[in-house]
Amino acid sequence: MSISENLATVRDRMSKAARRAGRSPEEIALIAVSKTQPSERIREAYSTGQRLFGENRVQEFAGKFEALRDLKDAEWHMIGHLQTNKATRTVELFHAVDSIDSLKLAEKLDSAARALGKQMEVFIEINVGGEAAKSGVAADSPALEELLTAAPRLEALVFRGLMTVPPFTDDPQNARPFFRRLRELRDAIAARRLPSVTMDRLSMGMSHDFEVAIEEGSTCVRVGTAIFGQRQKP
């Protein structure tokens, strides 16, 4: 199937999942995960009306950015683990960082964004499964509290919500408790009404489990393989 057909199928599945949960499909955004995809295939997705794209390596995206610069209303999200020494280049290239996992990284991004006179939307990445191999802060960690309380002084960053990648299982239903846990954490943070912290978004769900994520409250799904096919090697 073509990228256009795949996108139509994904959007239809998203709509059905939303309706099963009694939600409006318009509440859920779709990020097309374009990492490792050449610019021509990104353009093909763009031509169907897709506007949100996710990349996970700064250097890789920098290499194709010039070929995509004319896509004026495309929005680029950094969704992978980000090293602090890439903060300035990230601010130059991306509209949002969906994977904040330390106060140090947030401070670096804030400083770089201030220097460029730019504001960036950010999500805090939560390691809901407690997996040592994955980035993200623990739900009950001091690192999360540091980020939340630092938000008022990080004036160039707009804290919008939480993101997670749950432990992978063959059965998407097994991810449900992790998605639910993230939603409950988001709700608990939102109830605190912290200054400069908006918790209206949940980025969770990928190609194999996005329907379950939507049923559990996701407002943004990150879909790559179901749109572009099997990942191409860089």
Side-chain angles (χ1 to χ4, degrees), residues 160-162 180-192 198-202 216-219:
R160 296 306 304 268
L162 306 177
R180 187 170 299 160
R181 194 175 305 164
L182 191 75
R183 187 191 72 231
E184 291 170 349
L185 176 63
R186 187 276 311 268
D187 292 346
I189 295 171
R192 294 169 62 186
T198 302
M199 282 284 139
D200 60 351
R201 297 185 189 175
L202 279 178
E216 290 299 329
S218 177
T219 68

Side-chain angles (χ1 to χ4, degrees), residues 6-233:
N6 288 343
L7 273 165
T9 298
V10 168
R11 289 170 181 148
D12 181 62
R13 290 170 60 190
M14 289 173 63
S15 293
K16 289 176 178 175
R19 292 191 178 98
R20 284 196 300 272
R23 303 176 62 198
S24 167
E26 286 70 36
E27 294 177 17
I28 303 111
L30 170 62
I31 290 183
V33 179
S34 52
K35 61 183 182 182
T36 77
Q37 299 296 331
S39 59
E40 311 84 67
R41 291 175 65 76
I42 296 173
R43 283 185 173 279
E44 187 177 343
Y46 181 89
S47 70
T48 73
Q50 181 63 32
R51 293 296 181 267
L52 303 182
F53 295 90
E55 295 278 335
N56 75 332
R57 294 183 184 275
V58 176
Q59 189 171 351
E60 181 205 335
F61 181 59
K64 56 191 177 187
F65 179 72
E66 287 301 323
L68 300 166
R69 185 187 286 274
D70 61 307
L71 305 184
K72 297 298 184 183
D73 55 345
E75 188 174 307
W76 310 104
H77 286 240
M78 176 63 188
I79 62 173
H81 177 65
L82 182 60
Q83 297 173 320
T84 55
N85 63 359
K86 300 283 198 331
T88 298
R89 192 67 175 129
T90 299
V91 172
E92 292 172 349
L93 294 171
F94 292 91
H95 296 88
V97 176
D98 298 4
S99 51
I100 298 288
D101 62 359
S102 72
L103 177 57
K104 182 178 179 182
L105 174 59
E107 289 172 338
K108 291 282 189 180
L109 289 169
D110 177 68
S111 177
R114 286 173 189 257
L116 291 173
K118 183 176 179 179
Q119 278 203 319
M120 292 199 76
E121 292 194 349
V122 297
F123 289 68
I124 300 173
E125 182 175 2
I126 305 296
N127 188 340
V128 287
E131 297 173 279
K134 284 184 179 173
S135 54
V137 298
D140 56 353
S141 67
L144 174 57
E145 194 63 24
E146 283 180 349
L147 280 165
L148 294 173
T149 55
R153 65 179 173 82
L154 302 175
E155 295 180 354
L157 304 185
V158 181
F159 286 80
R160 296 306 304 268
L162 306 177
M163 183 270 265
T164 199
V165 180
F168 179 83
T169 62
D170 290 329
D171 184 355
Q173 292 297 330
N174 291 334
R176 190 180 294 278
F178 297 101
F179 293 144
R180 187 170 299 160
R181 194 175 305 164
L182 191 75
R183 187 191 72 231
E184 291 170 349
L185 176 63
R186 187 276 311 268
D187 292 346
I189 295 171
R192 294 169 62 186
R193 299 185 181 278
L194 297 168
S196 302
V197 175
T198 302
M199 282 284 139
D200 60 351
R201 297 185 189 175
L202 279 178
S203 178
M204 57 187 193
M206 298 184 289
S207 286
H208 66 291
D209 58 15
F210 68 82
E211 288 154 305
V212 175
I214 289 171
E215 291 169 0
E216 290 299 329
S218 177
T219 68
C220 178
V221 296
R222 311 179 305 275
V223 180
T225 303
I227 294 172
F228 294 105
Q230 289 301 316
R231 191 180 306 165
Q232 299 183 24
K233 292 184 178 181

